[in-house]
Structures are given as structure tokens and as C-alpha cells.
């Protein structure tokens, strides 16, 4: 199916001229007419409950805007349904999205750019007589965590295609009890990480000191931290075959040979299983999603206590002068429609959710993701949540706290048709190269990089 998706949309693009590239905000903004907004997402029952509460509140302000919310199981399910919808001109109004999904939809020029809506100064009147500006105020724009907001411009033309909805990142989980007992400092750089791994291996020769869940994230993050080419949304897309990238791969292969590190693919499961183990082979550090903090906590004892306290820190860096941590989690995009009022109504709905401090706080606490607004940290309920942060019962709060503290370090990668292929290929490349050894290991690694580039170009 993945190989067919671009082909389907190319055919749509060649056969359809239904939608203009630009969008002019109607002079009246939203005119109060009856409009249905179809919203596709991927959410469990708990998050649906949170969202439904705020949909009801939105409907009190705009009773003639009817939200039809459909959940589609997972993110790929959302993508595949939208591709099918686009092929018959029946795409939804709003959808959860990842950057490569949006690049795919843009083959058919179906995604609505948001710049005109964001910058609109048109006044819109709500049902209760109160008013709001259709666009975002300067204060609202400044309230977004910059790295999350700028993800919407990663498509090569400088235009805004998405808005952040809820986000996650990677963090370093570590056995704080063990670290404290043995006087081990939490590593802040990869050089320090190597030293800590060596120390842990001395203390527990059977251990694999570090587990890293996402090979793709590890490779891409290293590119960012070294300021080394990975991909580009324009021109030559696949740029990751270079000496800097081969050098860090060779270094990590040495770590693997010494038993310092494993990854999800090499271990055969999420490395949190090694980290939460209390007997046998285990790890003392794990790099994984901030949204999965509860899975990085060991099973509680019969009395409710935990075998060890989990600490959480920012992932190690190459240099303090260029701190980079990956931005993950869904954004939302709008789709073009023949009726401008549908687009405006969709924007009002999205704006209501992404700028609503109470919604962002409640959704974050329920989902494990972090809010996209800086001011949520000052919300009384969310501030109380963060104040309880610990490495046990409130590990999700501790994870969120670290995420907010490193907000200035977030990065996103260029988005284009084929960006997901590049992500898959560099992940496979890293896990493959870690196991290479022998006198010709360098040549094997160079060949593997060349093969990965070829696979990217062939697939797209």
C-alpha cells in the first residue's frame, strides 16, 4: 500500500484542478451559516472524552458549526483513509497529521495553507455576542513553543501547512537509585555517556548500560547535533551519506561491540523491558518517548513502593552550544474546500483547541503528551500536576516537566514525499552498521550508506 499511495495522488493531481492554490479570507470571516466540519483523529476513549467536552464548549460559541469527529485507530489509518477520500474529492476538513502525511496529500494540492487565516484581522462574532479576531494575535503566536510551531513550515516553500496539537520528544530515563548509590553523574554529552557506560559495565558486567528505542531518532538527532546534512525538502533530498555521519555510526558500533548499548531492533523489543528489569540482564539507562514514561517505570512492589526511583533528563548532546532534541507527536492540518465557510469554520475549531490553555492542560495530563503552549505551565491545575513530579507514581509529570524545560532545543526535519522513507532507511542503517566488525568494517559501513541512499531514491 505504501508504494501505491504517491501513485494514487499523482493521478489525482493530474486529473483534478478543483482547488486553487491560495485562499482569501471572506470579508465577513465566518458568516454564521450552517457548516459541518469533519475531523479525523487517532484517539482512545479517554482522550475522546476530553475532546468531546471541548467540542461541546466550542458549539456553545458557534452552534451552527457541527463537528463530526471520527477516530481511525492509528496514524497510518488516518493517512490511508484520507488518501482514499482525496481520490474521490471527499477529504475531511481537519485531520491529525505527521509531516510526511501532509507532503503526500500535497501531491494533490489538497492541504490548505494557513498563513492567510493566521494573519487575518477580521472580527468574528460568536453566538453570545462576544467577538474574537479570526487570526492569531501576536501574544498567541508567541505563546507556542517555537519548535512545535515552526514544524508547520518544514515543506520547502516557507508556507504554514499545520498547527501543533500535542507533542512528545525523547528523554533519558535512568536508575536514579543506582546512580546515587554509586556516585554516578547523569551524562549530558555523548562523551560523558561513553564514560558512564564503561563505569556501569564495570559495576555490572552482565548489563547493557544503555537502551535506545528508536534507531531512526538516534541517527537524525545526531545529524542535528553535529549540524550535519540529513535530508532537504528541495533539490537533492537525501544527504545523509557523509563523513560526519559515518563517523558517529562507527563510534556507536564500537559501543555495541563493548556491550554498552542496544536498540529496539537489535534487542527485539522496546528497550524499556531491559530498563525496568530488576533481575538478570538489564540496563540502567533508556532513551525513549516522553509520552511513554509509565512504561519506563518498574512494576510496583506489593506495598506500592517501586524497586528503584526513575530519574529523567535531557538526551545527551554533542555540544552545549547546539542543543537539539527531536519534536514528535501529531499536528493538525486543514483541507481545501469549495465552500470558504467550511475552511473558516474548520480554522475556528482548530484555533479554539490549540490556543485553549485549559484544553491543552487537560489533554496533556490525560494523554502523556506535552502541551504546545508555554502558558499551560502557569495553569493552576497543570502547575499542581507538575509539582507532584517524581520517579514513581507521578513519572508522567516528571517527563512533562523535563520536556518543558528543554523547549528551546526542539527540532523537526524537512518534510517531502519520501521523507518517511529516509527515516526508515537511516534507522535500518544504524542497526545494521552497529553489528559490523572486522578489518573491513569501515568499507562495510560505507557500502551500507550507499545502499541506503539507493533505497531512498528507488522507493520514491
Amino acid at each position: 500500500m505504501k508504494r501505491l499511495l504517491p501513485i494514487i495522488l499523482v493521478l489525482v493531481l493530474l486529473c483534478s484542478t478543483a482547488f486553487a492554490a491560495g485562499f482569501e479570507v471572506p470579508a465577513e470571516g465566518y458568516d454564521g451559516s450552517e457548516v459541518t466540519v469533519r475531523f479525523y483523529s487517532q484517539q482512545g476513549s479517554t482522550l475522546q472524552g476530553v475532546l468531546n467536552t471541548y467540542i461541546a464548549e466550542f458549539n456553545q460559541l458557534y452552534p451552527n458549526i457541527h463537528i463530526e469527529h471520527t477516530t481511525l485507530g492509528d496514524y497510518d489509518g488516518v493517512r490511508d483513509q484520507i488518501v482514499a477520500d482525496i481520490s474521490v474529492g471527499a477529504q475531511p476538513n481537519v485531520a491529525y497529521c505527521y509531516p510526511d502525511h501532509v507532503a503526500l496529500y500535497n501531491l494533490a494540492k489538497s492541504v490548505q495553507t494557513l498563513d492567510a487565516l493566521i494573519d487575518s484581522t477580521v472580527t468574528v462574532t460568536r453566538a453570545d455576542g462576544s467577538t474574537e479576531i479570526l487570526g492569531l494575535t501576536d501574544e498567541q503566536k508567541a505563546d507556542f513553543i517555537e519548535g512545535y510551531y515552526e514544524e508547520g513550515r518544514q515543506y520547502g516553500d516557507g508556507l504554514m501547512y499545520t498547527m501543533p496539537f500535542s507533542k512528545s520528544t525523547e528523554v533519558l530515563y535512568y536508575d536514579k537509585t543506582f546512580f546515587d548509590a554509586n556516585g554516578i553523574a547523569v551524562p549530558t554529552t555523548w562523551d560523558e555517556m561513553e564514560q558512564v557506560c564503561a563505569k556501569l559495565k564495570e559495576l555490572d558486567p552482565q548489563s547493557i548500560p544503555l537502551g535506545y528505542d528508536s534507531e531512526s531518532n538516534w541517527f537524525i538527532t545526531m545529524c542535528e547535533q553535529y549540524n550535519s546534512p540529513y535530508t532537504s525538502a528541495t533539490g537533492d533530498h537525501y544527504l545523509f551519506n557523509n563523513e560526519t555521519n559515518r563517523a558517529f555510526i562507527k563510534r556507536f558500533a564500537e559501543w555495541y561491540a563493548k556491550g554498552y548499548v542496544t536498540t529496539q531492533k537489535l534487542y527485539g523489543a522496546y528497550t524499556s523491558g531491559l530498563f525496568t528489569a530488576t533481575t538478570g540482564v538489564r540496563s540502567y539507562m533508556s532513551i525513549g518517548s516522553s509520552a511513554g514514561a509509565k512504561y519506563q517505570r518498574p512494576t510496583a512492589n506489593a506495598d506500592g513502593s517501586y524497586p528503584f526511583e526513575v530519574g529523567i533528563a535531557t538526551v545527551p548532546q554533542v555540544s552545549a552550544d547546539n542543543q537539539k532534541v527531536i519534536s514528535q507527536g501529531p499536528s493538525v492540518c486543514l483541507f481545501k474546500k469549495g465552500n470558504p465557510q467550511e475552511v473558516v469554520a474548520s480554522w475556528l475549531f482548530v484555533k479554539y483547541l490549540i490556543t485553549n490553555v485549559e484544553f491543552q492542560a487537560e489533554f496533556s495530563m490525560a494523554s502523556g503528551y506535552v502541551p504546545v503552549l508555554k502558558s499551560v505551565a502557569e495553569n493552576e491545575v497543570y502547575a499542581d500536576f507538575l509539582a507532584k513530579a517524581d520517579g514513581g507514581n507521578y513519572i508522567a509529570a516528571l517527563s512533562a516537566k523535563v520536556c518543558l524545560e528543554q523547549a528551546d532545543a526542539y527540532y523537526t526535519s524537512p518534510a517531502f514525499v519520501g521523507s518517511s522513507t529516509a527515516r526508515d532507511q537511516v534507522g535500518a542503517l544504524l542497526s545494521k552498521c552497529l553489528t559490523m566488525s572486522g578489518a573491513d568494517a569501515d568499507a562495510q559501513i560505507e557500502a551500507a550508506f550507499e545502499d541506503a541512499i539507493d533505497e531512498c531514491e528507488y522507493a520514491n
Side-chain angles (χ1 to χ4, degrees), residues 244-292:
T244 298
N245 297 348
R246 292 193 296 271
F248 69 68
I249 286 285
K250 292 173 186 177
R251 181 184 192 186
F252 296 146
E254 293 173 359
W255 291 13
Y256 182 76
K258 293 177 180 178
Y260 288 176
V261 65
T262 191
T263 66
Q264 182 182 160
K265 184 173 182 179
L266 295 174
Y267 176 56
Y270 285 110
T271 62
S272 56
L274 276 173
F275 179 67
T276 57
T278 54
T279 60
V281 178
R282 60 162 306 196
S283 64
Y284 293 91
M285 295 177 290
S286 175
I287 295 178
S289 170
S290 61

